[in-house]
Amino acid sequence: VWAYATAVGVRHPKLFEKVANHIVASKSLDRFEPQALSNIVWAYATAQVSHPKMFRKVAKTAIQRKEGVNNSQDIANLLWAYATMG
């Protein structure tokens, strides 16, 4: 989704919806690296695609990570995405 979020003039709402639904249904999101979590929500915010369930699940996963989210870029991307999407 990152590539579609950054492509100028390209919109794929069905793709974003399917990916978000897959993330919401995933039982293994806790295995995602912090960068992957931040890239997911960053892409959705950049593309202005709202999916509240997916945003909640990513937030919950990031907060519950044993190792935390320690990279300043990952933290900035997460915060920007949530601030942008409200």
Side-chain angles (χ1 to χ4, degrees):
V1 289
W2 182 91
Y4 285 105
T6 58
V8 176
V10 177
R11 302 225 3 116
H12 288 284
K14 288 182 182 180
L15 172 70
F16 278 87
E17 180 71 19
K18 286 185 179 210
V19 171
N21 289 338
H22 180 75
I23 290 167
V24 168
S26 175
K27 304 288 186 211
S28 61
L29 200 59
D30 59 333
R31 290 190 239 156
F32 280 50
E33 293 295 326
Q35 182 179 3
L37 296 173
S38 69
N39 284 349
I40 290 167
V41 292
W42 180 91
Y44 278 76
T46 298
Q48 290 292 296
V49 176
S50 178
H51 198 290
K53 286 182 181 179
M54 188 270 305
F55 271 83
R56 283 192 297 274
K57 184 153 185 184
V58 170
K60 182 178 177 182
T61 301
I63 290 167
Q64 292 178 343
R65 284 186 55 79
K66 291 177 187 173
E67 303 84 19
V69 179
N70 299 316
N71 179 293
S72 60
Q73 186 65 57
D74 297 339
I75 294 168
N77 287 350
L78 284 164
L79 293 174
W80 178 85
Y82 284 93
T84 298
M85 295 308 290

